[in-house]
Amino acid sequence: MFDGIGFSELLLIGILGLVVLGPERLPIAVRTVSGWIRAMKRMANSVKDELEQELKLEELQADLKKAEQKGLGNLSPELKDSLDQLKEAAQAVNRPYEIDSSPFSKNPPKFHDDSETGSISVTPAPTADSEKDKKSE
């Protein structure tokens, strides 16, 4: 952390801090400064991680372009792995946007609160067959 600063410089900074701030405020100042340093390190690490992810994504895209140019038949194992990783990443991105095909997706059940008796009843959602029966009547 203190690559360019030796022990004598740290000792001098500590003595100056003790003289300027006093023994009561020096520990608080040291905690504050160390908190700032920790926050800057976290920010630098998060930026570094994001850049690494972006570089990996660009590398995968370049591999995919190479695969398209070569033709998908005779790929090297590295390109096949990259292509599989890219497909998995695309599926992972699209998963949250898939349409829910559960029976309650269009017609959710309705809850009725009978506050006098303190009970709650549930009316099931109408199915497609029951809607057809209502229309035919």
Side-chain angles (χ1 to χ4, degrees):
M1 182 172 133
F2 298 109
D3 294 334
I5 300 176
F7 180 73
S8 60
E9 287 92 1
L10 283 176
L11 187 63
L12 180 64
I13 291 171
I15 292 171
L16 283 175
L18 186 62
V19 170
V20 171
L21 296 175
E24 298 88 25
R25 292 188 297 181
L26 184 62
I28 297 169
V30 169
R31 278 189 226 116
T32 305
V33 170
S34 64
W36 290 343
I37 291 172
R38 270 189 243 113
M40 288 190 300
K41 281 185 179 181
R42 271 183 277 172
M43 191 179 348
N45 286 334
S46 68
V47 168
K48 185 180 92 174
D49 291 342
E50 287 179 19
L51 285 174
E52 286 176 356
Q53 288 176 350
E54 287 294 323
L55 289 174
K56 186 176 180 180
L57 182 62
E58 286 183 26
E59 180 183 340
L60 288 174
Q61 288 175 344
D63 288 345
L64 182 60
K65 286 181 183 180
K66 284 181 188 177
E68 288 176 353
Q69 290 172 355
K70 277 187 169 182
L72 297 176
N74 53 357
L75 295 177
S76 67
E78 297 88 24
L79 288 177
K80 285 182 182 179
D81 290 340
S82 296
L83 187 61
D84 292 339
Q85 288 178 356
L86 189 59
K87 286 180 182 178
E88 289 173 9
Q91 289 173 352
V93 167
N94 288 332
R95 261 186 225 124
Y97 301 109
E98 289 178 355
I99 297 174
D100 185 17
S101 60
S102 69
F104 298 123
S105 62
K106 291 182 182 175
N107 300 318
K110 295 183 174 97
F111 295 95
H112 302 285
D113 184 11
D114 190 5
S115 56
E116 293 174 4
T117 61
S119 65
I120 298 175
S121 61
V122 178
T123 304
T127 62
D129 296 333
S130 65
E131 289 178 7
K132 289 178 186 175
D133 293 338
K134 287 181 184 177
K135 289 180 182 178
S136 64
E137 291 178 357

